[in-house]
Amino acid sequence: MKIYKFLSLFLIVINLITISSCSNNDDDEIQNTEPGNLQLKFENGFNNLGNIVLNQTTQTSSNGQKHQFSTLKYVISNISLIDENGNEFKYNYNNPDKGAFVINQAEAKGGIVYANLTEIPKGNYKKIKLGLGISPTAYLIGQDGQGIFWDKAKQEGMAWSWSAGYIFAKLEGKYGTSSADTEFMNHTGNMGDTTVNGTADLYREVVLDLPTTARVSKEITPSIHILADFNQYLSGQTALTMTQANQMAMGSSPHLVSVSNNLIQMFKVDHVHND
């Protein structure tokens, strides 16, 4: 009888431990599904050698022109993450207030400009999609629907009037043959409603492979290090020459269409840290 009572008590204790263990595992499972954060690190350079120094770093284009930047800014928006199963998470898509960033080389720390993303679903991400500029869809939401980013863009000098719209990339500096001594200013951007105005749409998107899986979780905040090779500006898929006709260009002229097509090719993921 005593043995029977002992075995019964032993089995009760085992069951309680098992139930507690299962309960804890369930709690861990729930906790592990919580979203995490992600950091993007943009390093602007020439020929994949980073850290452009404004008013100093000089590059020679494929057409033999020297050029350097005094201002280097661009807008990144419509970021998407694509996981190992091909599922796409769109980060505040077409919502500039929450999903657009101004990448300003003047604000680089150690050659890096940071963009921090929050509330990313837990997952193993293999690709990232970036938009260069603000999409026509986002612009047509109207000024009231993106007032926070619009104010930021104006403060950063990345906007014209509302009817003219955003500046997507602002590149200023000097160029020349033997030395960079002639000023240039190229500001790309859609001129308001491109359909109504019959102007070129300069918004561009690119999908980049991640060399290492970005493992987002509550405990892990990956950082994706993106190189932006500004050699593409004048030496990309269309080799460009700066002239008096295009050295002071703003909007969506044919020259700036070529600039936009070149710039979207400049991005490459160098590495991923899962820390």
Side-chain angles (χ1 to χ4, degrees), residues 7-260:
L7 288 175
S8 297
L9 180 61
F10 178 75
L11 290 174
I12 291 172
V13 171
I14 291 297
N15 285 333
L16 288 174
I17 292 174
T18 301
I19 292 170
S20 175
S21 176
C22 290
S23 177
N24 288 338
N25 287 339
D26 290 343
D27 289 343
D28 289 343
E29 196 69 28
I30 293 172
Q31 186 177 21
N32 286 340
T33 63
E34 293 184 28
N37 300 320
L38 179 73
Q39 184 178 72
L40 304 183
K41 299 163 69 174
F42 290 89
E43 185 170 9
N44 302 309
F46 287 121
N47 284 330
N48 295 319
L49 297 175
N51 196 13
I52 288 175
V53 179
L54 298 177
N55 297 305
Q56 183 174 326
T57 306
T58 302
Q59 175 72 356
T60 301
S61 72
S62 58
N63 284 341
Q65 286 186 321
K66 298 183 183 301
H67 58 285
Q68 61 180 227
F69 296 114
S70 58
T71 298
L72 190 164
K73 302 180 184 181
Y74 53 94
V75 173
I76 292 294
S77 69
N78 283 0
I79 300 165
S80 290
L81 297 167
I82 302 168
D83 70 15
E84 56 194 350
N85 298 316
N87 300 312
E88 182 177 358
F89 167 67
K90 296 183 176 182
Y91 184 76
N92 294 306
Y93 215 72
N94 288 325
N95 182 354
D97 277 356
K98 295 183 178 180
F101 303 87
V102 176
I103 308 302
N104 182 355
Q105 185 63 13
E107 297 177 355
K109 298 177 181 178
I112 304 294
V113 182
Y114 297 87
N116 295 309
L117 283 59
T118 60
E119 296 297 309
I120 307 298
K122 179 187 176 183
N124 298 323
Y125 296 101
K126 296 285 192 178
K127 299 175 184 288
I128 185 170
K129 181 189 292 185
L130 303 174
L132 180 61
I134 298 294
S135 73
T137 300
Y139 174 76
L140 291 176
I141 292 172
Q143 187 174 0
D144 292 340
Q146 51 203 286
I148 296 173
F149 186 72
W150 177 251
D151 287 342
K152 178 178 176 59
K154 288 194 295 183
Q155 292 169 6
E156 292 269 8
M158 295 299 287
W160 294 298
S161 66
W162 176 252
S163 60
Y166 291 99
I167 297 172
F168 295 172
K170 174 177 278 192
L171 305 176
E172 300 176 359
K174 294 183 178 181
Y175 77 96
T177 303
S178 57
S179 63
D181 52 14
T182 302
E183 292 187 358
F184 74 88
M185 182 174 65
N186 279 187
H187 297 177
T188 73
N190 290 350
M191 301 304 290
D193 186 332
T194 57
T195 301
V196 172
N197 296 336
T199 52
D201 176 13
L202 300 192
Y203 173 73
R204 300 287 184 269
E205 290 186 343
V206 64
V207 178
L208 307 173
D209 292 325
L210 304 184
T212 304
T213 301
R215 305 184 185 281
V216 176
S217 69
K218 183 182 178 182
E219 295 78 23
I220 300 175
T221 299
S223 63
I224 299 176
H225 191 124
I226 299 171
L227 293 178
D229 177 13
F230 272 87
N231 191 53
Q232 295 292 320
Y233 169 43
L234 298 181
S235 307
Q237 67 179 33
T238 301
L240 300 174
T241 300
M242 299 292 290
T243 67
Q244 288 186 344
N246 60 30
Q247 66 189 21
M248 296 293 174
M250 292 182 287
S252 54
S253 66
H255 168 70
L256 294 179
V257 171
S258 295
V259 168
S260 299

